[in-house]
Amino acid sequence: MEQTTLTLTDTSSPEIQSVAPTSFMLSASTLDGALDAASLSFSSTDNCSSDLTHLVSLSASGPYTTSIPLGCSDIGTATFYFKAIDVSGNESSAFAQ
């Protein structure tokens, strides 16, 4: 009897369903805060796993992190860029203002 090794790989990127505009309030006492990717109106799914990493950036070219510190110099309208990365390293991106 012969045996063969079969390797299965996930090459499909996660899908970002929605990224909603978000308002963010700075702390009144310290005039700063942090925008956390996990707390945003940002939903995504993957074909193989529900274990997705959500990242956010102020620039399409990054750097992407789990949260962005914000302060008085950030007051106004900004575009935020989002990435969803699955356990196989496949990623997709979207943005919202």
Side-chain angles (χ1 to χ4, degrees):
M1 174 188 265
E2 291 185 36
Q3 289 185 333
T4 276
T5 300
L6 177 64
T7 302
L8 300 175
T9 58
D10 172 14
T11 59
S12 297
S13 296
E15 289 186 25
I16 297 176
Q17 280 82 30
S18 64
V19 178
T22 301
S23 294
F24 183 80
M25 302 289 285
L26 296 175
S27 165
S29 60
T30 61
L31 296 178
D32 64 3
L35 184 67
D36 183 24
S39 67
L40 295 171
S41 299
F42 167 36
S43 64
S44 58
T45 60
D46 187 54
N47 63 327
C48 288
S49 173
S50 61
D51 187 18
L52 297 172
T53 300
H54 293 127
L55 302 173
V56 62
S57 176
L58 287 170
S59 168
S61 59
Y64 285 84
T65 62
T66 55
S67 70
I68 297 174
L70 298 172
C72 289
S73 63
D74 299 302
I75 291 175
T77 301
T79 300
F80 293 95
Y81 299 87
F82 305 92
K83 278 191 180 183
I85 304 170
D86 68 16
V87 295
S88 296
N90 303 308
E91 61 183 59
S92 58
S93 44
F95 67 92
Q97 195 169 43

